[in-house]
Amino acid sequence: MAKASGFLEGIAIGDLHLGVHDSHGIPSSLTIETIRPAFDHAEEEGLPVFLLGDTFDTHRSSLDDPHYMEFAEFLNRYTVPIHIIAGNHDQHEGIAHAFRGLLFLKRMGVLENVFIYMEPTVVVINGKRVNFLPYPHRAGINRALNIGHIDRAGSRYCNGYVVKEGSDDEYQWIIGHNHTKQQVRSACFPGTPVQVSPDENHSFGYTHFRYGSTFSADHIPLKQAFKIQRLKLATPEIPEVDDDTWYAITVEKGVPVPQDLYSRVNVYSLK
């Protein structure tokens, strides 16, 4: 579908942290299943996709990991441009090791529509300048859409902490890193499309934006394939639980762990 000249319209998706839940029994396939409608939306309307950093939870992610190849195969289903910046979790000592596998696939002629930014790069897309700023770069520019993975002064984390220092210009931004959906002056944070930790309880989704002489953004919630909740056991009795929820369980001192706990509950963690 052709888009109006002079406007850049796209789909922005926050931190995926692929692999973060694998050791807790939640496969990354559920994260990929959750974000599928966002990519389908982009494909149906011919919109570019922007992944805002921390695509992977660790820089050690590689083609040897099942979730890595599953994600690569997922991306390969789509034809729209997919732009990915490096976040702090994707790299180590300034090198975005987590993207080596995707870059290898690109050299092999796969994922030709995937563009990975590991250094600041300005690209013109549909007549509009886009300033891609992978972590830790934060030098925004005027008359451009700045895509970053940084803190923003005045932004709020899910635990209520308000960022005191960080980027504070009046340029237009779409930013990852902070998992909570919010608008801070001229900076749009789509937030995470899936739950990354048990303490996150905001609206999970993605952003459909339009950038031209003005900027507008719509948050589109995503149906979650899994949930994570905290659960405290004060007695050996197991309360009623949900099949699609994983529980970070704390057992009070002196309370025995129920023998059938793992057979009856999706245990995310136990302490």
Side-chain angles (χ1 to χ4, degrees):
M1 180 183 295
K3 294 298 162 186
S5 177
F7 286 90
L8 170 59
E9 190 174 354
I11 299 297
I13 302 174
D15 306 23
L16 300 181
H17 285 278
L18 289 169
V20 66
H21 299 311
D22 288 7
S23 63
H24 298 280
I26 305 176
S28 290
S29 58
L30 294 183
T31 294
I32 295 172
E33 176 185 334
T34 298
I35 64 173
R36 188 182 306 277
F39 278 80
D40 289 347
H41 179 177
E43 189 77 9
E44 289 166 7
E45 297 198 24
L47 302 176
V49 175
F50 298 82
L51 295 181
L52 305 176
D54 286 357
T55 299
F56 300 98
D57 189 60
T58 172
H59 67 276
R60 295 184 180 89
S61 293
S62 71
L63 291 170
D64 295 327
D65 300 320
H67 70 259
Y68 200 102
M69 282 305 300
E70 186 174 5
F71 183 62
E73 291 168 359
F74 170 77
L75 294 179
N76 200 42
R77 296 190 182 102
Y78 297 94
T79 61
V80 295
I82 300 170
H83 302 275
I84 308 175
I85 64 170
N88 53 305
H89 280 254
D90 299 313
Q91 57 184 279
H92 178 65
E93 295 182 347
I95 301 175
H97 298 285
F99 293 132
R100 285 178 172 173
L102 295 182
L103 291 170
F104 170 78
L105 292 174
K106 281 183 65 66
R107 289 195 298 271
M108 298 298 291
V110 185
L111 303 179
E112 292 182 348
N113 59 315
V114 176
F115 304 93
I116 297 170
Y117 303 93
M118 297 184 289
E119 295 292 338
T121 307
V122 177
V123 179
V124 176
I125 303 175
N126 204 27
K128 291 297 178 183
R129 291 196 304 167
V130 181
N131 183 27
F132 291 100
L133 292 166
Y135 180 88
H137 301 283
R138 57 181 63 242
I141 58 176
N142 195 16
R143 297 180 181 177
L145 179 61
N146 297 281
I147 305 291
H149 190 88
I150 58 175
D151 279 324
R152 180 80 168 173
S155 60
R156 184 181 299 271
Y157 280 83
C158 63
N159 62 3
Y161 172 75
V162 177
V163 176
K164 302 295 191 300
E165 298 180 356
S167 176
D168 195 28
D169 57 57
E170 293 302 322
Y171 305 145
Q172 186 60 60
W173 288 85
I174 301 179
I175 306 177
H177 192 51
N178 191 320
H179 293 187
T180 303
K181 176 189 75 68
Q182 59 198 289
Q183 181 79 30
V184 183
R185 298 180 300 283
S186 58
C188 171
F189 290 85
T192 52
V194 296
Q195 189 175 4
V196 176
S197 75
D199 298 314
E200 296 177 352
N201 58 6
H202 52 271
S203 175
F204 303 103
Y206 64 97
T207 291
H208 178 191
F209 71 88
R210 194 167 189 249
Y211 170 68
S213 57
T214 60
F215 179 86
S216 63
D218 295 318
H219 177 75
I220 301 178
L222 285 168
K223 182 180 179 181
Q224 299 296 292
F226 65 90
K227 295 180 291 186
I228 312 169
Q229 293 183 5
R230 293 198 178 276
L231 176 64
K232 181 178 289 187
L233 294 182
T235 74
E237 297 298 322
I238 300 175
E240 185 176 343
V241 295
D242 297 324
D243 291 339
D244 65 346
T245 301
W246 274 254
Y247 293 90
I249 299 173
T250 300
V251 181
E252 289 194 359
K253 186 176 181 179
V255 176
V257 176
Q259 293 185 354
D260 57 350
L261 180 65
Y262 283 88
S263 63
R264 293 177 53 189
V265 180
N266 295 320
V267 178
Y268 184 80
S269 61
L270 177 65
K271 63 178 183 179

